[in-house]
Amino acid sequence: DGGITQSPKYLFRKEGQNVTLSCEQNLNHDAMYWYRQDPGQGLRLIYYSQIVNDFQKGDIAEGYSVSREKKESFPLTVTSAQKNPTAFYLCASSPRDRGTNTEAFFGQGTRLTVV
Amino acid sequence: RKEVEQDPGPFNVPEGATVAFNCTYSNSASQSFFWYRQDCRKEPKLLMSVYSSGNEDGRFTAQLNRASQYISLLIRDSKLSDSATYLCVAHMNRDDKIIFGKGTRLHILP
């Protein structure tokens, strides 16, 4: 089955440690995205990538880093520079078709808690 | 001005009623628009795309007004299972950025 997979589902991190969240898709989508969602809030864009080996900062990129070495994979690293990393992280992918089918498909999310 | 704005609600609506949400967007370069539904502690899921001519899917109707830069969602004969947060989404043409509104919370009351 085609889809987008995030792992792990729950993640605990000690303050001061870097942690990497995995996102893999087998939908053959060119574009991939990382969002952060805080309780009762909307989705805020962290980073996105339109194509392999290229990515752009979103609205809240500080304290995060990404890579896009393969089309299928877009891992997100939450660094120790991120002051308030506890949140629900959502990865999405989308085709770059300029027609109508450009909706984003989401993984199930990773809940990161700093302890 | 935020790129995509929605009334956060909550909208408390009796079962069977009709409810409408609006959403405004600021970037005229936005290419495609969508409504997503998000249940508590779950990922967002596509409810429907929004076309300029308007489109309907069962009890749901979506409209796009490019001149006024707003999108609407109408839910008829609301069900208890419609209770969720509804997210308005704009997909930018130029850079493939996908921007979400903060969502509108809907509670259908029995």
Side-chain angles (χ1 to χ4, degrees), chain A residues 33 35 37 41-43 45 48 50 59 88 90 94-96 98-100 102-104 106-108 111, chain B residues 3 31-32 34 36 38 41-44 46 49 51 87 91 93-102:
Chain A
Y33 306 82
Y35 294 89
Q37 189 173 35
Q41 301 296 314
L43 278 68
L45 183 62
Y48 64 108
Q50 295 171 276
D59 301 317
F88 185 38
L90 287 156
S94 172
R96 295 190 70 201
R98 290 289 179 244
T100 57
T102 58
E103 69 267 25
F106 281 88
Q108 290 189 316
R111 292 196 180 276
Chain B
E3 291 187 85
Q31 172 75 10
S32 308
F34 307 91
Y36 278 72
Q38 186 175 27
R41 301 179 70 81
K42 299 284 190 181
E43 75 275 20
L46 179 69
S49 303
Y51 305 129
L87 300 163
H91 187 151
N93 182 34
R94 186 176 56 229
D95 57 7
D96 283 307
K97 210 172 169 183
I98 297 180
I99 302 297
F100 284 74
K102 288 191 173 182

Side-chain angles (χ1 to χ4, degrees), chain B residues 12-82:
Chain B
N12 297 308
V13 175
E15 193 175 6
T18 295
V19 60
F21 309 136
N22 286 331
C23 163
T24 58
Y25 63 94
S26 60
N27 191 333
S28 59
S30 300
Q31 172 75 10
S32 308
F33 301 91
F34 307 91
W35 283 102
Y36 278 72
R37 170 194 170 127
Q38 186 175 27
D39 293 292
C40 190
R41 301 179 70 81
K42 299 284 190 181
E43 75 275 20
K45 295 196 174 173
L46 179 69
L47 178 66
M48 59 196 303
S49 303
V50 186
Y51 305 129
S52 297
S53 55
N55 50 301
E56 189 174 308
D57 182 2
R59 298 182 292 109
F60 299 85
T61 300
Q63 296 275 355
L64 166 62
N65 185 319
R66 286 193 184 270
S68 302
Q69 295 186 199
Y70 80 80
I71 303 139
S72 64
L73 176 68
L74 183 78
I75 306 175
R76 289 181 300 278
D77 187 24
S78 53
K79 311 291 184 192
L80 293 176
S81 57
D82 293 334

Side-chain angles (χ1 to χ4, degrees), chain A:
Chain A
D1 288 334
I4 181 164
T5 302
Q6 288 185 243
S7 62
K9 191 171 181 180
Y10 298 96
L11 187 57
F12 296 87
R13 186 195 97 176
K14 289 185 179 178
E15 234 177 290
Q17 287 182 338
N18 292 356
V19 63
T20 298
L21 281 58
S22 169
C23 179
E24 304 278 333
Q25 55 100 358
N26 60 4
L27 299 166
N28 200 34
H29 287 167
D30 284 310
M32 295 188 74
Y33 306 82
W34 274 106
Y35 294 89
R36 169 184 172 136
Q37 189 173 35
D38 294 285
Q41 301 296 314
L43 278 68
R44 291 186 289 168
L45 183 62
I46 304 172
Y47 268 99
Y48 64 108
S49 168
Q50 295 171 276
I51 201 165
V52 174
N53 292 323
D54 187 41
F55 49 82
Q56 288 81 39
K57 291 182 179 180
D59 301 317
I60 55 164
E62 186 175 348
Y64 299 98
S65 65
V66 293
S67 62
R68 188 86 187 274
E69 297 176 3
K70 297 187 298 182
K71 187 175 186 177
E72 306 79 28
S73 179
F74 191 41
L76 173 74
T77 297
V78 184
T79 75
S80 56
Q82 169 50 236
K83 298 303 178 191
N84 186 21
T86 295
F88 185 38
Y89 290 88
L90 287 156
C91 179
S93 69
S94 172
R96 295 190 70 201
D97 178 8
R98 290 289 179 244
T100 57
N101 297 323
T102 58
E103 69 267 25
F105 294 80
F106 281 88
Q108 290 189 316
T110 294
R111 292 196 180 276
L112 173 63
T113 303
V114 173
V115 297

